[in-house]
Amino acid sequence: MLITDRFVFVHVPKTGGDFIRRICLKHLPTAGFVPHQIAKHGPDTEIPAPYDALPRFALVRNPWDWHVSWYHYLMGAG
């Protein structure tokens, strides 16, 4: 999960969230990032109260592609 002073990015596993996170960290001002102890794939219910009303976004993926990707990840093929 990535929390800024303007939005919250909820990272859904195997949907390209690491890419979005890297882009945000590279191109957004670092002063806007909010430090937190929520896990990378934590639920949006754990967003701290001051940031709960901010816009949230996440990426989605074709369910079949997601399951194939997850299977290969678990089998160690990447």
Side-chain angles (χ1 to χ4, degrees), residues 1-5 7-9 11 16-36 40 57:
M1 184 168 308
L2 181 66
I3 302 174
T4 72
D5 56 358
F7 65 87
V8 176
F9 172 63
H11 187 163
D18 285 327
F19 172 76
I20 296 296
R21 182 181 196 81
R22 284 193 308 269
I23 293 297
C24 288
L25 292 173
K26 182 177 179 181
H27 294 288
L28 295 176
T30 56
F33 293 106
V34 176
H36 59 82
K40 177 180 171 180
F57 77 97

Side-chain angles (χ1 to χ4, degrees), residues 27-72:
H27 294 288
L28 295 176
T30 56
F33 293 106
V34 176
H36 59 82
Q37 299 298 319
I38 304 170
K40 177 180 171 180
H41 299 125
D44 66 341
T45 56
E46 293 183 9
I47 296 172
Y51 308 100
D52 192 41
L54 291 175
R56 302 173 198 180
F57 77 97
L59 300 177
V60 295
R61 188 172 183 177
N62 175 312
W64 175 255
D65 288 337
W66 185 90
H67 284 291
V68 170
S69 176
W70 187 252
Y71 171 81
H72 286 290

